[in-house]
């Protein structure tokens, strides 16, 4: 229920260092003054495992969707 993400920011949200308009000038001592790396790191890890990550606005906010391929655990399948 964040109110959504501005349409012009959706395409850059996963870019390294991108922090969105309101976070570009964080207050001194603010706990939320990040470096804009979290979503870029998330995308890198997910894509390294053959998956994908997306964000979309909803009626009351936004939703992040991650997809990872299903991998067999190998349990009960005999020697490898």
């Amino acid at each position: 229920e964040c109110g959504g993400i501005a349409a012009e920011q959706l395409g850059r949200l996963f870019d390294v260092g991108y922090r969105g308009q309101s976070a570009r000038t964080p207050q001194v001592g603010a706990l939320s003054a990040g470096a804009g790396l979290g979503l870029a790191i998330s995308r890198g890890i997910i894509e390294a495992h053959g998956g994908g990550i997306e964000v979309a606005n909803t009626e009351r906010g936004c939703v992040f969707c991650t997809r990872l391929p299903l991998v067999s655990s190998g349990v009960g399948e005999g020697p490898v």
Side-chain angles (χ1 to χ4, degrees):
E1 295 186 17
C2 66
I5 299 169
E8 63 272 8
Q9 294 181 6
L10 284 174
R12 298 196 57 212
L13 208 57
F14 297 99
D15 291 353
V16 174
Y18 188 73
R19 296 188 294 161
Q21 200 61 27
S22 62
R24 291 198 180 279
T25 54
Q27 298 174 356
V28 175
L31 294 176
S32 63
L37 297 175
L39 289 174
I41 291 169
S42 298
R43 179 182 64 182
I45 291 170
I46 291 167
E47 288 179 352
H49 288 86
I53 184 169
E54 302 171 342
V55 61
N57 283 322
T58 63
E59 192 173 302
R60 299 188 315 181
C62 61
V63 63
F64 287 83
C65 179
T66 59
R67 292 187 182 92
L68 292 169
L70 183 62
V71 177
S72 174
S73 67
V75 175
E77 295 181 15
V80 178

